Amino acid sequence: MTRYAVFLRGVNVGGVKVLMKDLAQLLLAAGFTDVKTLLASGNAVLSASSSDPLEVQEHCNAVLAGHYQRPIPTLVCTVAEIQQLSQPFPLPLPDPASEHHGYFTLCESAEDAQAVGAAIQGLAEPGAYLVQGRAVAWIVRKGESTANPIGKLMAAQAKQRIVTTRNHNTLVKLAKILG
């Protein structure tokens, strides 16, 4: 069995609220094992017989679409990807560091991450960011993630491609669960 992290693009998708207890039950019924959810924001870890993360992602997408009668995209990451992203945040947080968050926007592919990075670079005031594989690291002052130019850009990108943003601390917690 291979362990994975599964991220829903959103837990409130198109007017459908996906509860974590329901997500866990759906994934268990679909044949995944060792399913655990974290927080109420669409994070799960599971074990699958497949060693292909794309196959696991397609299966998760089909299960959710079948149950909710509409697409609810997921992104599936390997343990190695989560371990890499859970390392110390790759960008220095501005002072005071306690007033800032490090975020990763997870993308479906490395090409999408490069495109998101290019879009950040095109902002009037791009801010600090770093493309790491199929993720983009960026920083925001606490409480300003939806008003921040990069945060707004990420919301716009979510309408064009499959991306989802998570706080670095969430990825650290998922890495611990995955072992």
Side-chain angles (χ1 to χ4, degrees):
M1 297 296 267
T2 305
R3 297 286 283 161
Y4 296 100
V6 178
F7 301 94
L8 272 66
R9 190 168 91 187
V11 293
N12 293 312
V13 183
V16 174
K17 184 170 183 154
V18 179
L19 300 175
M20 294 304 92
K21 64 179 181 154
D22 297 340
L23 174 64
Q25 290 303 312
L26 286 170
L27 294 173
L28 285 167
F32 297 112
T33 59
D34 303 318
V35 176
K36 292 180 178 61
T37 60
L38 176 69
L39 305 173
S41 56
N43 308 303
V45 296
L46 53 76
S47 294
S49 58
S50 174
S51 60
D52 180 359
L54 186 56
E55 184 177 301
V56 173
Q57 181 173 311
E58 289 170 355
H59 190 95
C60 289
N61 290 347
V63 166
L64 291 167
H67 181 79
Y68 291 103
Q69 299 300 302
R70 64 181 65 196
I72 298 178
T74 63
L75 288 170
V76 172
C77 293
T78 65
V79 171
E81 287 175 307
I82 297 302
Q83 287 174 339
Q84 178 189 7
L85 297 174
S86 70
Q87 296 302 307
F89 196 69
L91 298 169
L93 297 178
D95 287 328
S98 63
E99 293 182 13
H100 293 83
H101 281 300
Y103 281 102
F104 278 103
T105 296
L106 308 173
C107 303
E108 194 165 35
S109 67
E111 293 79 18
D112 281 347
Q114 290 292 330
V116 170
I120 293 171
Q121 191 61 41
L123 292 172
E125 295 180 34
Y129 75 95
L130 177 69
V131 176
Q132 245 185 298
R134 60 186 188 121
V136 180
W138 53 286
I139 299 167
V140 67
R141 182 176 288 279
K142 287 183 179 179
E144 296 181 8
S145 61
T146 58
N148 174 283
I150 296 178
K152 289 179 181 179
L153 175 71
M154 294 310 175
Q157 289 292 313
K159 295 176 183 170
Q160 301 173 27
R161 60 185 90 241
I162 297 175
V163 299
T164 191
T165 300
R166 296 296 189 272
N167 186 303
H168 177 247
N169 294 331
T170 299
L171 297 172
V172 170
K173 290 175 186 174
L174 285 170
K176 287 180 183 174
I177 293 171
L178 287 167

